Protein backbone atom coordinates (compact mmCIF):
# COMPACT_ATOMS: atom_id res chain seq x y z
CA UNK A 1 0.00 0.00 0.00
CA UNK A 2 1.38 3.41 -0.95
CA UNK A 3 1.58 6.30 1.52
CA UNK A 4 -1.09 8.07 -0.54
CA UNK A 5 -3.42 5.10 -0.04
CA UNK A 6 -2.61 4.93 3.68
CA UNK A 7 -3.37 8.62 4.18
CA UNK A 8 -6.61 8.23 2.22
CA UNK A 9 -7.85 5.61 4.70
CA UNK A 10 -7.67 8.23 7.45
CA UNK A 11 -9.06 11.06 5.34
CA UNK A 12 -5.77 12.95 5.30
CA UNK A 13 -5.62 15.11 2.20
CA UNK A 14 -3.32 17.90 3.36
CA UNK A 15 -0.40 17.84 5.79
CA UNK A 16 0.88 21.06 7.31
CA UNK A 17 4.53 21.21 8.40
CA UNK A 18 4.27 23.93 10.99
CA UNK A 19 6.87 25.91 12.91
CA UNK A 20 6.72 29.03 15.07
CA UNK A 21 9.38 31.40 16.36
CA UNK A 22 8.86 32.98 19.76
CA UNK A 23 10.47 35.53 22.05
CA UNK A 24 10.99 32.84 24.70
CA UNK A 25 9.81 29.45 25.90
CA UNK A 26 6.84 30.34 28.13
CA UNK A 27 3.67 31.47 26.42
CA UNK A 28 2.32 33.47 29.35
CA UNK A 29 5.45 35.68 29.50
CA UNK A 30 6.49 35.56 25.82
CA UNK A 31 4.94 36.13 22.40
CA UNK A 32 4.98 34.54 18.97
CA UNK A 33 7.20 36.45 16.55
CA UNK A 34 6.35 34.51 13.39
CA UNK A 35 4.88 31.32 12.02
CA UNK A 36 5.36 29.34 8.82
CA UNK A 37 3.38 26.40 7.42
CA UNK A 38 4.38 24.27 4.44
CA UNK A 39 1.23 22.55 3.19
CA UNK A 40 1.64 19.28 1.27
CA UNK A 41 -1.19 18.09 -0.95
CA UNK A 42 -1.20 14.30 -0.68
CA UNK A 43 -2.93 13.77 -4.03
CA UNK A 44 -0.55 15.89 -6.10
CA UNK A 45 2.51 16.06 -3.79
CA UNK A 46 2.64 19.77 -4.53
CA UNK A 47 3.59 22.07 -1.67
CA UNK A 48 2.94 25.70 -0.80
CA UNK A 49 4.29 27.78 2.06
CA UNK A 50 2.43 30.45 3.98
CA UNK A 51 3.76 32.59 6.82
CA UNK A 52 3.20 35.70 8.90
CA UNK A 53 5.37 37.84 11.17
CA UNK A 54 4.66 40.60 13.67
CA UNK A 55 4.88 44.11 12.23
CA UNK A 56 5.66 47.59 13.49
CA UNK A 57 1.92 48.32 13.57
CA UNK A 58 1.40 45.36 15.95
CA UNK A 59 3.93 46.79 18.38
CA UNK A 60 2.44 50.28 18.07
CA UNK A 61 -1.08 49.00 18.78
CA UNK A 62 0.14 47.12 21.85
CA UNK A 63 2.01 50.21 23.08
CA UNK A 64 -1.02 52.45 22.62
CA UNK A 65 -3.28 49.93 24.35
CA UNK A 66 -0.66 49.36 27.08
CA UNK A 67 -1.08 45.63 26.53
CA UNK A 68 2.01 43.72 25.36
CA UNK A 69 0.01 40.51 24.94
CA UNK A 70 -1.74 41.76 21.82
CA UNK A 71 1.51 42.15 19.87
CA UNK A 72 0.97 38.67 18.40
CA UNK A 73 -2.84 38.60 18.37
CA UNK A 74 -3.08 39.36 14.63
CA UNK A 75 -0.62 36.65 13.58
CA UNK A 76 -2.26 34.18 15.96
CA UNK A 77 -5.51 34.78 14.08
CA UNK A 78 -3.88 34.31 10.67
CA UNK A 79 -2.21 31.12 11.92
CA UNK A 80 -5.51 29.65 13.10
CA UNK A 81 -7.04 30.40 9.69
CA UNK A 82 -4.14 28.67 7.97
CA UNK A 83 -4.06 25.46 9.99
CA UNK A 84 -7.79 25.02 9.34
CA UNK A 85 -6.72 23.88 5.84
CA UNK A 86 -4.85 20.84 7.24
CA UNK A 87 -5.91 17.35 8.31
CA UNK A 88 -2.55 16.56 9.92
CA UNK A 89 0.00 18.92 11.46
CA UNK A 90 3.64 17.90 11.90
CA UNK A 91 6.44 19.76 13.62
CA UNK A 92 9.65 19.28 15.61
CA UNK A 93 9.42 19.34 19.44
CA UNK A 94 5.78 19.88 18.60
CA UNK A 95 3.23 18.30 20.94
CA UNK A 96 2.82 17.10 24.49
CA UNK A 97 4.37 17.87 27.86
CA UNK A 98 7.64 19.86 27.75
CA UNK A 99 7.22 20.52 24.01
CA UNK A 100 6.79 23.83 22.33
CA UNK A 101 4.75 24.79 19.28
CA UNK A 102 1.25 23.45 19.87
CA UNK A 103 1.10 24.21 23.63
CA UNK A 104 2.48 27.70 22.93
CA UNK A 105 -0.07 28.41 20.19
CA UNK A 106 -2.97 27.15 22.30
CA UNK A 107 -1.84 29.35 25.20
CA UNK A 108 -1.55 32.47 23.04
CA UNK A 109 -5.05 31.76 21.70
CA UNK A 110 -6.39 31.60 25.25
CA UNK A 111 -4.61 34.78 26.38
CA UNK A 112 -5.64 36.77 23.30
CA UNK A 113 -9.13 35.25 23.15
CA UNK A 114 -8.57 33.95 19.63
CA UNK A 115 -11.10 31.26 18.78
CA UNK A 116 -10.81 28.45 16.25
CA UNK A 117 -7.99 26.30 17.63
CA UNK A 118 -8.88 22.74 16.51
CA UNK A 119 -10.94 20.89 19.08
CA UNK A 120 -10.04 17.40 20.28
CA UNK A 121 -10.09 14.76 17.52
CA UNK A 122 -10.42 17.34 14.74
CA UNK A 123 -6.76 17.33 13.62
CA UNK A 124 -3.99 14.74 13.97
CA UNK A 125 -0.52 15.73 15.15
CA UNK A 126 2.93 14.25 14.52
CA UNK A 127 6.35 15.10 15.95
CA UNK A 128 9.53 14.43 13.94
CA UNK A 129 11.69 14.84 17.07
CA UNK A 130 9.77 12.10 18.86
CA UNK A 131 9.94 9.80 15.84
CA UNK A 132 13.61 10.57 15.30
CA UNK A 133 14.49 9.64 18.90
CA UNK A 134 12.63 6.33 18.54
CA UNK A 135 13.96 5.36 15.10
CA UNK A 136 17.60 6.49 15.08
CA UNK A 137 20.67 6.70 17.31
CA UNK A 138 22.16 10.15 16.78
CA UNK A 139 24.27 12.46 18.94
CA UNK A 140 21.31 14.85 18.92
CA UNK A 141 17.67 14.63 17.88
CA UNK A 142 17.63 18.26 16.79
CA UNK A 143 16.25 19.25 13.41
CA UNK A 144 19.65 19.82 11.81
CA UNK A 145 21.12 16.52 13.05
CA UNK A 146 18.28 14.48 11.58
CA UNK A 147 18.43 16.53 8.38
CA UNK A 148 22.16 15.79 8.07
CA UNK A 149 21.43 12.07 8.36
CA UNK A 150 19.01 12.31 5.43
CA UNK A 151 21.48 14.55 3.57
CA UNK A 152 18.93 17.33 3.19
CA UNK A 153 19.56 20.99 3.77
CA UNK A 154 17.97 24.35 3.08
CA UNK A 155 21.06 26.30 4.21
CA UNK A 156 19.37 27.14 7.48
CA UNK A 157 20.07 30.64 8.76
CA UNK A 158 21.93 31.05 12.05
CA UNK A 159 20.34 33.27 14.66
CA UNK A 160 22.61 35.50 16.70
CA UNK A 161 21.45 36.80 20.11
CA UNK A 162 21.40 40.41 18.86
CA UNK A 163 19.15 39.46 15.93
CA UNK A 164 16.73 37.70 18.27
CA UNK A 165 16.65 40.58 20.77
CA UNK A 166 16.14 43.15 18.02
CA UNK A 167 13.26 41.11 16.63
CA UNK A 168 11.65 41.20 20.08
CA UNK A 169 11.52 45.01 19.92
CA UNK A 170 10.17 45.04 16.37
CA UNK A 171 13.25 45.75 14.23
CA UNK A 172 12.07 44.84 10.72
CA UNK A 173 15.40 43.55 9.40
CA UNK A 174 15.70 41.16 12.33
CA UNK A 175 12.09 39.99 11.99
CA UNK A 176 12.65 39.34 8.27
CA UNK A 177 15.72 37.28 9.15
CA UNK A 178 13.79 35.28 11.74
CA UNK A 179 10.85 34.50 9.45
CA UNK A 180 13.32 33.27 6.80
CA UNK A 181 14.77 30.94 9.44
CA UNK A 182 11.19 29.92 10.29
CA UNK A 183 10.34 29.01 6.69
CA UNK A 184 13.53 26.96 6.32
CA UNK A 185 12.67 24.98 9.46
CA UNK A 186 9.33 24.04 7.87
CA UNK A 187 11.07 22.84 4.73
CA UNK A 188 13.51 20.76 6.78
CA UNK A 189 10.64 19.22 8.75
CA UNK A 190 8.88 18.28 5.50
CA UNK A 191 12.04 16.72 4.06
CA UNK A 192 12.75 14.82 7.27
CA UNK A 193 9.20 13.47 7.45
CA UNK A 194 9.40 12.32 3.83
CA UNK A 195 12.51 10.37 4.80
CA UNK A 196 10.93 8.63 7.78
CA UNK A 197 7.21 8.36 6.97
CA UNK A 198 7.45 4.74 5.77
CA UNK A 199 8.80 3.76 9.20
CA UNK A 200 6.24 5.51 11.42
CA UNK A 201 2.48 5.04 11.84
CA UNK A 202 -0.11 7.50 10.66
CA UNK A 203 -0.31 9.81 13.68
CA UNK A 204 -3.13 8.94 16.02
CA UNK A 205 -2.33 11.75 18.46
CA UNK A 206 -4.94 14.40 19.19
CA UNK A 207 -4.31 17.26 21.55
Amino acid sequence: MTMKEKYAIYGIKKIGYLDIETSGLTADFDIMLSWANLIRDINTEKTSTTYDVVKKSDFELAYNKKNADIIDKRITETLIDDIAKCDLLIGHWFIGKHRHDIPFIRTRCAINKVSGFPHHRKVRYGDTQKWGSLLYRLHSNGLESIADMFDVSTKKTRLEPRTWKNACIGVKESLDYIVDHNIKDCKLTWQIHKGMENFVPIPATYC
Side-chain angles (χ1 to χ4, degrees):
M1 191 180 296
T2 66
M3 288 307 305
K4 181 178 177 180
E5 290 169 333
K6 290 178 183 178
Y7 285 126
I9 291 172
Y10 295 94
I12 297 171
K13 298 176 182 178
K14 291 187 178 180
I15 301 176
Y17 297 91
L18 176 64
D19 182 61
I20 64 173
E21 301 297 340
T22 62
S23 63
L25 298 177
T26 55
D28 52 346
F29 274 73
D30 299 295
I31 62 167
M32 183 165 51
L33 298 173
S34 67
W35 62 264
N37 190 25
L38 185 152
I39 299 179
R40 169 188 171 194
D41 187 307
I42 295 302
N43 289 321
T44 65
E45 284 299 331
K46 291 182 179 179
T47 64
S48 61
T49 303
T50 47
Y51 64 90
D52 205 351
V53 60
V54 291
K55 299 177 180 178
K56 181 181 178 181
S57 56
D58 297 318
F59 283 89
E60 290 174 343
L61 178 64
Y63 183 84
N64 291 333
K65 297 283 187 180
K66 296 181 174 57
N67 182 2
D69 270 323
I70 65 172
I71 291 171
D72 65 348
K73 182 175 182 179
R74 180 188 60 79
I75 69 165
T76 302
E77 292 171 338
T78 60
L79 170 56
I80 293 303
D81 288 343
D82 202 70
I83 64 178
K85 305 170 187 174
C86 304
D87 307 299
L88 166 61
L89 292 171
I90 294 176
H92 202 77
W93 281 104
F94 200 53
I95 53 170
K97 190 176 181 181
H98 305 310
R99 294 180 181 261
H100 187 61
D101 298 67
I102 293 302
F104 198 102
I105 294 165
R106 187 189 288 106
T107 306
R108 296 310 298 164
C109 284
I111 289 171
N112 277 313
K113 297 178 174 58
V114 174
S115 62
F117 189 93
H119 292 178
H120 183 56
R121 300 192 71 83
K122 294 296 184 182
V123 174
R124 295 171 184 264
Y125 298 87
D127 191 329
T128 49
Q129 191 280 335
K130 180 180 178 181
W131 288 328
S133 66
L134 292 171
L135 290 174
Y136 310 109
R137 189 63 177 166
L138 302 173
H139 77 283
S140 165
N141 293 308
L143 197 64
E144 290 181 273
S145 299
I146 301 175
D148 285 342
M149 179 185 66
F150 285 119
D151 195 26
V152 297
S153 174
T154 56
K155 297 181 179 178
K156 184 176 172 180
T157 49
R158 300 288 178 180
L159 291 180
E160 301 297 331
R162 181 179 296 274
T163 302
W164 204 276
K165 288 185 283 187
N166 283 343
C168 291
I169 62 170
V171 176
K172 185 179 185 304
E173 291 79 8
S174 295
L175 285 166
D176 289 345
Y177 194 84
I178 278 184
V179 79
D180 179 69
H181 176 94
N182 200 171
I183 292 167
K184 287 175 178 174
D185 273 357
C186 286
K187 291 180 179 177
L188 280 180
T189 305
W190 164 57
Q191 290 173 309
I192 286 169
H193 181 239
K194 288 283 285 182
M196 63 171 62
E197 69 180 338
N198 282 297
F199 302 97
V200 297
I202 303 295
T205 302
Y206 297 95
C207 64

